[in-house]
Amino acid sequence: MNATLDLMLSSPWSRRRRAARPAFATLAAFTTFAVLGASALLGCGAQPAPVAAPSLPAGDGPLKPDAPAPAADPDAWRPRGELLLPPEVSALPPLKLPTIARFTLANGLPVLVIPSARAPVVSMQLVVRAGKRNEPKARLGLAELTSNLLVKGTARRNAAALVKAIEAVAGTIAVDVSYEAAFASCSALARNLGTCASLLSEIVTVPTFPAKELEDMRAALVAGVRSRSKNPRQWANLHLQHLLWGDNHVRGWAETEGSLASITRDDVVTWHKTWFTPGNAMLVVAGDVELAQLRPQLERAFGLWRKSVTAPAPKYPAPALPPVRVRLVDQPGAALTQLRVGLRGISHDDPRFFESLVWNHALGASGAARLPRALRAAGAAVTAAESTFDRNADQGSIVISAAARSSEALAAVQLLLAETSKVAKEGLTVAEVAAAITAISGSYLTRFESAADLTSSLVGAELHGFGEQYLQNFGVRLAQVTPASAKEAAEQLLDLNRSVVVLVGDAKDLEPQLTKLGWRFEKVKITDALSPATEAPATDVPPAQVAAARKTIEAAIKAKGGEARLRAIKALHLAGGGQTVIDNTPMQVQIRRWFVLPDRLRVDVEIDPPGDDPPATIQIGVDGDTGWQRSPEGLQDIPADALSSVEFERWREPELVLLEARAASVPLAPLPEVSIDGKPHTVVRVSSPFGIDLILAFDKQTMLLRRMTYTIADETNVDEFSGYRDIGGIKVAHKRVSTAGGRTTTVELSKVEISPKIDLSIFKRP
């Protein structure tokens, strides 16, 4: 209960009062603690720094050739004749886009609108910033499973009814997931925008994840995993990423039958609840829309999507490269060998990004690029030689790939390495740079032909923090790449001393070639698991210890009053009084708190400062996605970011936290016993979905919660509970002591009501 003071005492009244009246200095100190506490809660620990957009300066003059084009080689595929030479790169003006409107819904969901009346259609795409990189290692496949299930049933419609609803307006609805985001989209005639918005909101905010649909979807994903043994191309890609990034980096992981089998419906619900929040999403609308009418429609459609705290995205530092950087994956009887060469690449905001687009295009992004031409000129029987690189917000991979007859596999690898090294050391010709810029620019312009194209392009830019300026100036920045700048980037990134090589083929043909070259290599079977660690628990806690921790939680639930009684709690009313001490200065406090699940909160606090100053009353009310606060300074709205702390407060509410900890998807771990007041206590660490660990200590004799400890923004909060009494069959602590940031508050409850009838008007703004 004391922790709610952190939420409510973020009032600007206290800060202004401190400057206006010295007599209120002690009271201001109390409220300052609350402001810091609420801010720390919203942070949920260290936050990743925002992605910096690349420099996109204005265009310059034509790119002038500074070296003659190379002489034609005997490659029959090489273009010849003046009419087939690439044109000079002229100054490219910024791309003209429709004016993009931006606003934020009341629940904190950012909206971007691209009005376009070229056709009477509308396209909507909702993007959640969570994808496969947000999966726990023991639950690989969870992001795809969750996203695919969004269209398999909601609180209002089953899968068939969803299909019927969208087909009735001749529209389409789809879901997808990538490495870094989940997507839900809808397209329809403009007059049916309301239907599109309603269905999109429905599948994102109230999916039911039906058990039967979950099992069907799981079976489909398992079938995909089993098909890998018949798909050496896919195995080569997976092994390359694993060799390049290792067991402890998300890029080195791949789902297995075991990881898919371990996913429960609780896991799906928790993953959805953790990442699908308005503040972690954005909505992009493009097409024939009227802004004045659109915003109210979206407020109605997405209004029930409540604000909540979003956990920080996981971070994975790049590990050291392995000592053996060649892996042979044995596929007996294979006539072709899949060849892969990999290096660690760049993030999308890297200043070398546009130069990398150019050297990559010239190296292996087309049939006329250097890699396929070099292999054809050598007479190698190679198929589909190409080069690619990841374009994500974090560092990705550079991949050079091909397939060759097993008897010629190592010769082909050597050719790939030699041509790559040549690009790194010698760079590109003026003609190659010009051709790459022309081809990439032309391809880029095709991304803006329809409302859906506009939406997807803007989403890609926004995900990485660039905005529409990136889209407008893409061609301008690309045209500024020169042979010198492309060479500098290639030389830095294509360092083959830091490369890894994977071959998937028949070992009896490949081993002699590797041995002859003197290459050190490791050998695995194509049927071997990519990474045994994938099957490990989500934490490094042994299964027996996890079971012991769950047993403790079950015992605590039973001691508290039992699962049935706890799940029946719909509301709480607590009242009490006590004292808070800040910097050795005591103040008397009286607190009343009303809480209606899941998102209504009202707290009234009366503070009696020392000296002659009269008591001051501060009130806070939260009603869904709106909130207010009243103090001696008057009535004000609560900032939207402060409201997000309500969800964490509810999650760790002492009367509810045990059921939250009981969920199968919540990682638990036993910790060493502690002594509190001379009595032994069993301790369990509970990893909340908000990125904050709770340390719960239970009296070994009664199994009642005695202490809760958690740390936010380097400040440790300790809540202690004692004086338990039976209220309607539930044990409730009537004495609560909270310590944090140099402040200690002690409250004795005088009134406790469980699931009382509460007038909902008390949560409304006065």
Side-chain angles (χ1 to χ4, degrees):
M1 181 174 180
N2 300 343
T4 60
L5 295 172
D6 295 358
L7 174 65
M8 69 164 299
L9 292 175
S10 56
S11 170
W13 159 76
S14 66
R15 298 191 291 275
R16 290 194 294 269
R17 179 73 72 169
R18 175 167 29 185
R21 297 185 58 189
F24 271 78
T26 305
L27 177 59
F30 180 57
T31 56
T32 299
F33 154 74
V35 172
L36 293 174
S39 299
L41 177 62
L42 294 173
C44 292
Q47 297 293 317
V51 177
S55 174
L56 299 173
D60 56 10
L63 182 65
K64 299 298 184 184
D66 56 10
D73 62 31
D75 179 13
W77 289 73
R78 182 179 179 83
R80 291 179 173 82
E82 293 184 1
L83 295 178
L84 295 177
L85 291 176
E88 277 194 354
V89 181
S90 59
L92 300 178
L95 182 67
K96 292 183 179 180
L97 294 176
T99 301
I100 297 175
R102 295 172 181 263
F103 56 85
T104 301
L105 300 185
N107 63 1
L109 176 65
V111 180
L112 292 81
V113 185
I114 314 170
S116 175
R118 289 186 296 178
V121 296
V122 65
S123 173
M124 309 178 72
Q125 189 168 80
L126 191 137
V127 187
V128 176
R129 292 179 175 87
K132 296 182 179 181
R133 71 175 177 180
N134 300 75
E135 295 175 330
K137 190 175 183 181
R139 301 291 187 271
L140 300 180
L142 179 57
E144 186 171 5
L145 191 60
T146 303
S147 298
N148 290 348
L149 286 170
L150 294 177
V151 293
K152 297 301 182 180
T154 70
R156 305 184 187 105
R157 298 175 176 90
N158 61 20
L162 285 170
V163 171
K164 183 177 180 180
I166 193 63
E167 287 184 346
V169 296
T172 61
I173 198 163
V175 292
D176 198 5
V177 67
S178 69
Y179 169 74
E180 56 190 356
F183 307 87
S185 60
C186 183
S187 296
L189 293 174
R191 66 172 180 268
N192 297 317
L193 183 148
T195 299
C196 230
S198 177
L199 290 176
L200 196 60
S201 170
E202 187 176 325
I203 66 172
V204 168
T205 62
V206 289
T208 54
F209 307 114
K212 172 64 167 59
E213 299 285 0
L214 188 153
E215 293 308 318
D216 290 346
M217 194 62 64
R218 188 204 313 274
L221 295 180
V222 167
V225 170
R226 290 174 178 171
S227 69
R228 285 179 190 160
S229 60
K230 301 176 182 178
N231 190 335
R233 181 180 177 85
Q234 186 179 16
W235 259 125
N237 293 333
L238 293 176
H239 273 284
L240 181 77
Q241 298 294 341
H242 181 257
L243 185 59
L244 193 57
W245 298 97
D247 281 332
N248 297 316
H249 193 287
V250 64
R251 287 188 179 274
W253 303 343
E255 64 269 20
T256 66
E257 289 189 51
S259 69
L260 291 168
S262 70
I263 297 172
T264 66
R265 183 180 179 279
D266 281 345
D267 294 326
V268 172
V269 171
T270 298
W271 199 86
H272 175 266
K273 180 180 178 181
T274 300
W275 302 111
F276 278 62
T277 65
N280 195 43
M282 63 177 165
L283 178 65
V284 180
V285 183
D288 190 6
V289 297
E290 293 290 339
L291 281 175
Q293 300 174 10
L294 177 64
R295 185 164 187 167
Q297 286 180 300
L298 296 180
E299 289 284 7
R300 288 192 297 271
F302 291 91
L304 295 180
W305 197 8
R306 304 302 189 189
K307 290 187 179 77
S308 61
V309 176
T310 303
K315 294 183 178 180
Y316 299 95
L321 287 170
V324 179
R325 301 180 191 174
V326 178
R327 179 178 296 176
L328 168 58
V329 183
D330 184 18
Q331 185 189 21
L336 286 178
T337 294
Q338 289 291 330
L339 314 174
R340 299 291 184 274
V341 177
L343 300 109
R344 291 177 184 165
I346 59 176
S347 57
H348 197 171
D349 67 337
D350 192 291
R352 300 165 294 184
F353 176 76
F354 287 93
E355 280 70 17
S356 295
L357 287 176
V358 170
W359 66 247
N360 178 69
H361 187 276
L363 178 63
S366 73
R370 286 202 181 191
L371 291 177
R373 284 196 294 111
L375 291 167
R376 288 194 299 267
V382 178
T383 63
E386 62 181 2
S387 62
T388 61
F389 68 95
D390 292 322
R391 303 162 195 192
N392 300 123
D394 61 353
Q395 184 185 23
S397 306
I398 299 169
V399 179
I400 298 166
S401 60
R405 282 199 299 257
S406 295
S407 60
E408 301 177 5
L410 269 296
V413 171
Q414 289 179 295
L415 281 171
L416 295 175
L417 295 173
E419 198 62 34
T420 302
S421 178
K422 187 176 179 181
V423 168
K425 293 178 180 179
E426 301 176 7
L428 307 177
T429 67
V430 172
E432 285 178 312
V433 171
I437 292 174
T438 300
I440 297 168
S441 298
S443 175
Y444 187 73
L445 292 175
T446 64
R447 301 182 185 183
F448 304 94
E449 294 179 347
S450 68
D453 293 335
L454 280 170
T455 301
S456 298
S457 297
L458 185 58
V459 164
E462 290 290 327
L463 268 178
H464 297 165
F466 296 143
E468 63 263 34
Q469 294 80 13
Y470 176 86
L471 304 180
Q472 292 170 333
N473 295 320
F474 183 94
V476 174
R477 176 62 181 87
L478 183 65
Q480 294 173 347
V481 177
T482 66
S485 66
K487 177 182 181 297
E488 182 181 9
E491 189 173 23
Q492 294 170 356
L493 296 172
L494 299 178
D495 181 358
L496 295 180
N497 291 322
R498 295 179 293 177
S499 65
V500 299
V501 176
V502 168
L503 303 97
V504 179
D506 196 329
K508 69 177 175 55
D509 296 327
L510 300 173
E511 281 189 271
Q513 298 176 56
L514 288 165
T515 302
K516 183 177 180 180
L517 290 174
W519 287 9
R520 294 177 59 201
F521 65 93
E522 62 183 23
K523 177 183 172 183
V524 299
K525 297 178 181 178
I526 198 167
T527 54
D528 289 345
L530 184 68
S531 171
T534 303
E535 307 297 342
T539 67
D540 292 328
V541 182
Q545 293 186 26
V546 175
R550 296 206 177 279
K551 185 176 180 181
T552 297
I553 296 297
E554 293 292 345
I557 290 173
K558 183 177 180 180
K560 182 77 173 173
E563 180 183 357
R565 287 193 178 96
L566 294 179
R567 290 200 183 279
I569 295 176
K570 303 300 181 186
L572 291 169
H573 175 211
L574 308 176
Q579 183 183 77
T580 186
V581 179
I582 301 176
D583 297 332
N584 297 319
T585 302
M587 292 181 288
Q588 299 302 309
V589 296
Q590 296 292 324
I591 305 176
R592 294 187 70 189
R593 180 174 184 252
W594 297 264
F595 189 12
V596 175
L597 294 175
D599 55 9
R600 289 186 172 93
L601 174 69
R602 167 74 180 264
V603 183
D604 292 1
V605 175
E606 184 178 281
I607 306 170
D608 190 0
D612 297 330
D613 286 295
T617 299
I618 303 175
Q619 299 173 316
I620 184 173
V622 176
D623 186 11
D625 55 5
T626 61
W628 55 270
Q629 55 188 0
R630 181 157 57 185
S631 70
E633 287 291 310
L635 181 66
Q636 297 177 341
D637 291 327
I638 296 177
D641 56 354
L643 287 174
S644 60
S645 63
V646 174
E647 183 65 14
F648 176 70
E649 285 295 307
R650 186 204 68 77
W651 199 92
R652 69 170 208 87
E653 166 66 36
E655 273 51 74
L656 305 173
V657 69
L658 297 179
L659 290 182
E660 300 287 2
R662 187 175 184 266
S665 58
V666 175
L668 302 177
L671 298 180
E673 286 187 2
V674 298
S675 177
I676 302 176
D677 296 335
K679 296 182 179 180
H681 285 67
T682 301
V683 183
V684 173
R685 182 185 69 218
V686 180
S687 298
S688 79
F690 305 95
I692 304 171
D693 285 351
L694 300 181
I695 310 301
L696 307 182
F698 302 94
D699 187 307
K700 287 193 72 173
Q701 183 176 358
T702 65
M703 290 309 297
L704 294 173
L705 179 63
R706 180 68 174 81
R707 177 182 291 168
M708 177 189 296
T709 306
Y710 57 96
T711 299
I712 301 175
D714 298 324
E715 182 175 274
T716 299
N717 298 257
V718 180
D719 296 338
E720 297 193 337
F721 308 93
S722 59
Y724 277 89
R725 301 178 195 171
D726 190 299
I727 305 295
I730 296 176
K731 300 293 193 302
V732 179
H734 278 59
K735 182 176 182 180
R736 307 184 177 199
V737 181
S738 178
T739 304
R743 181 272 307 166
T744 299
T745 301
T746 302
V747 172
E748 292 273 359
L749 298 184
S750 58
K751 185 173 186 178
V752 177
E753 293 181 292
I754 295 177
S755 298
K757 185 175 181 180
I758 297 177
D759 182 1
L760 298 184
S761 66
I762 69 170
F763 304 104
K764 302 292 185 182
R765 191 178 194 275

